[in-house]
Amino acid sequence: MRKLVLRACSALLIACGSTSPVKPVDEGAAQNASNGYTVPANNGTEKVLFKPTEKLPKARDFKQYISPEALQKDVEFLASDALKGRETGTLEIDEAATYIIKTFQDAGVQPYFTSYRDKFDAKGKSGFNVVGVLEGTDPELKKEYVIIGAHYDHIGTAQAENGDVIANGANDNASGTATVMALARYFAKAKTNKRSILFALFSAEEMGLLGSAHLAERLKSTSITPYVMFNVEMVGLPMAAKDYTLYLTGYENSNMAEQFNAYAGAKVLGFLPQAKQYNLFKRSDNYAFYQVFKIPAQTVSTFDFTNFDHYHKVGDEASLMNYEHMANVANQLIPGLEGILTTPNQEIIWNE
């Protein structure tokens, strides 16, 4: 996760790779974003763009398509000492990419370009995203694409602790990568996607969101028609005392949470004031797709500033992840994503 460097007992959060502090916004105003709002319509009345979902249950009995064991297997490989922290430009991140590619191949997810590897220059290092596609089942809707992404790189090494220098990056972001891989397996088998899905695993996120910026610009030169970009970031541990499972960055900028929760039949996505306060919408791989395509492009996460003490440290180990929680996340994402992938019209709209 590039967005934040957290320091104990400090309210100042700094973007990774930057010396500029993140300017906080008024927390009261941030909280108001979860209360719903309207905008004037052409006929002089008000059009509801967002309304809260308090009437939805916190959770329901979601079908268990994705197992904790499958997610654990992927996280343990990606966050193993053998991969040395998956730093962009290393042989070890190439091993991680090969592992992801084999998952796509075994599932029947095809490369979007001539190769699964989408190569780019990462400040003089060789970077590459892994990009696969699952064609939609509807003759017309398959022309529209939903991009589901996560970054699979990490920082390599960090300050030594007990002789260990490998920053394994289990939560950041093997957890998100494993979730996207699991979703790829599910949709390739279920074939419930009328729209096409682009599965994108990004490199060089930790160097400044370079991989997603490259892919968004490259896709702009193709004939692709993207509808929504849905990014998964740091979902390895649950939040406490929340009436939703994941928070959505840029919450007030679209009706994605409202529509997603309606599709899922539960309050899966919610509003975290700190995500607004520290402008997390602009600090993950979703942002480039908003900049280039001006589409709803947002990130989901369960890192809430209180439930994880090992950001960019060697303690970000696979053994600390809660795989039951991760399976709960993945299985709750499925019906919401299926709604996005199957509705006859584009119901997710950007509010600007």
Side-chain angles (χ1 to χ4, degrees), residues 37 249-255 276 281 298 349-352:
Y37 50 85
T249 66
Y251 187 91
E252 74 284 8
N253 293 331
S254 79
N255 66 341
K276 170 74 173 181
F281 167 68
Q298 293 165 270
I349 58 173
W350 199 250
N351 294 336
E352 294 180 351

Side-chain angles (χ1 to χ4, degrees), residues 79-309:
S80 64
D81 284 352
L83 294 196
K84 299 181 180 179
R86 306 186 309 280
E87 185 176 3
T88 298
T90 64
L91 292 175
E92 289 76 25
I93 197 171
D94 182 72
E95 289 185 46
T98 299
Y99 183 84
I100 296 165
I101 289 168
K102 186 175 187 306
T103 295
F104 284 177
Q105 289 173 328
D106 290 346
V109 175
Q110 301 300 311
Y112 181 74
F113 302 111
T114 55
S115 167
Y116 288 101
R117 284 178 168 84
D118 166 43
K119 297 181 181 179
F120 62 94
D121 176 74
K123 298 180 180 179
K125 295 182 178 181
S126 178
F128 42 84
N129 305 312
V130 179
V131 187
V133 65
L134 191 64
E135 187 178 38
T137 60
D138 184 272
E140 289 301 316
L141 289 178
K142 72 178 182 180
K143 300 172 185 176
E144 302 172 6
Y145 285 75
V146 172
I147 303 168
I148 302 176
H151 76 89
Y152 74 102
D153 68 307
H154 197 49
I155 62 171
T157 58
Q159 183 176 350
E161 295 180 18
N162 300 318
D164 182 10
V165 297
I166 298 173
N168 300 78
N171 199 14
D172 183 18
N173 186 34
S175 64
T177 300
T179 300
V180 172
M181 292 165 64
L183 291 171
R185 293 187 190 101
Y186 169 79
F187 282 110
K189 183 178 180 179
K191 303 189 186 323
T192 54
N193 59 303
K194 292 184 179 181
R195 291 183 171 89
S196 297
I197 309 175
L198 204 69
F199 295 103
L201 283 309
F202 306 110
S203 185
E205 188 266 4
E206 301 288 2
M207 298 176 67
L209 311 179
L210 300 184
S212 53
H214 163 80
L215 180 60
E217 287 292 345
R218 185 176 182 186
L219 290 174
K220 187 179 179 180
S221 66
T222 72
S223 59
I224 194 171
T225 303
Y227 167 31
V228 164
M229 194 283 171
F230 192 88
N231 193 55
V232 186
E233 177 81 64
M234 292 184 72
V235 293
L237 295 166
M239 298 180 288
K242 302 291 191 296
D243 66 345
Y244 53 87
T245 304
L246 308 100
Y247 65 85
L248 182 73
T249 66
Y251 187 91
E252 74 284 8
N253 293 331
S254 79
N255 66 341
M256 185 183 291
E258 174 71 15
Q259 292 298 127
F260 192 101
N261 291 344
Y263 299 149
K267 197 171 181 181
V268 178
L269 305 184
F271 173 76
L272 185 75
Q274 293 93 328
K276 170 74 173 181
Q277 182 180 3
Y278 298 113
N279 205 8
L280 298 193
F281 167 68
K282 294 184 178 181
R283 297 176 178 275
S284 195
D285 289 307
N286 60 287
Y287 187 54
F289 294 89
Y290 165 72
Q291 287 184 301
V292 171
F293 294 105
K294 295 298 184 286
I295 60 172
Q298 293 165 270
T299 291
V300 295
S301 179
T302 64
F303 167 67
D304 69 356
F305 303 85
T306 67
N307 61 353
F308 185 65
D309 296 326

Side-chain angles (χ1 to χ4, degrees), residues 38-41 43-48:
T38 61
V39 296
N43 60 4
T45 63
E46 288 191 329
K47 177 183 178 182
V48 176

